[in-house]
Amino acid sequence: MDSRLTPTATLLADLAARSREVETLLAQGAYTQIYLPAMATKDLALALETRSTELADDRRARVASAVRRVVVAAWQLDLYGDLGNRDKLTEAYHGFAGAVRDVTAAYADAR
């Protein structure tokens, strides 16, 4: 799918859905499966960052900060999933989910 052609609302919905998928896999103990939805979430966040030019400067800065946090947390989720470290995974997920909420909120506030 070419995210350049996808409506922003769809990207935001997909972002939330992939984040929920990570949460579900974490709850199920399927740590090694977290990688794919975490990286998909990262890619969606990066796609949304490229669109942030449609936002006011303050919201664009909020998106950039939140996207950075999504990217770092996604890689942490991958690492800790491979290691099977539930405590670190849970900690990384909380940062990840918060960053996803912040991206979503920055776009919602713009409407």
Side-chain angles (χ1 to χ4, degrees):
M1 170 174 76
D2 186 349
S3 64
R4 293 173 295 169
L5 304 176
T6 305
T8 300
T10 301
L11 292 176
L12 288 164
D14 289 348
L15 180 81
R18 296 296 76 73
S19 179
R20 284 190 304 275
E21 188 176 348
V22 171
E23 180 180 31
T24 299
L25 290 169
L26 179 59
Q28 293 172 347
Y31 304 147
T32 59
Q33 295 176 27
I34 288 173
Y35 170 78
L36 287 176
M39 292 301 132
T41 305
K42 172 193 65 79
D43 292 342
L44 289 161
L46 289 168
L48 285 160
E49 184 178 28
T50 64
R51 293 192 180 190
S52 67
T53 57
E54 66 192 49
L55 300 174
D57 288 344
D58 64 322
R59 288 186 178 90
R60 193 168 37 250
R62 286 172 49 196
V63 169
S65 173
V67 167
R68 246 185 318 279
R69 293 182 358 250
V70 169
V71 169
V72 170
W75 286 111
Q76 289 174 333
L77 288 166
D78 174 38
L79 171 66
Y80 299 136
D82 288 347
L83 297 174
N85 188 327
R86 181 174 181 81
D87 292 338
K88 290 288 191 178
L89 271 167
T90 300
E91 182 181 327
Y93 176 73
H94 287 298
F96 180 80
V100 167
R101 281 191 302 273
D102 290 346
V103 170
T104 303
Y107 273 92
D109 291 347
R111 294 180 190 159

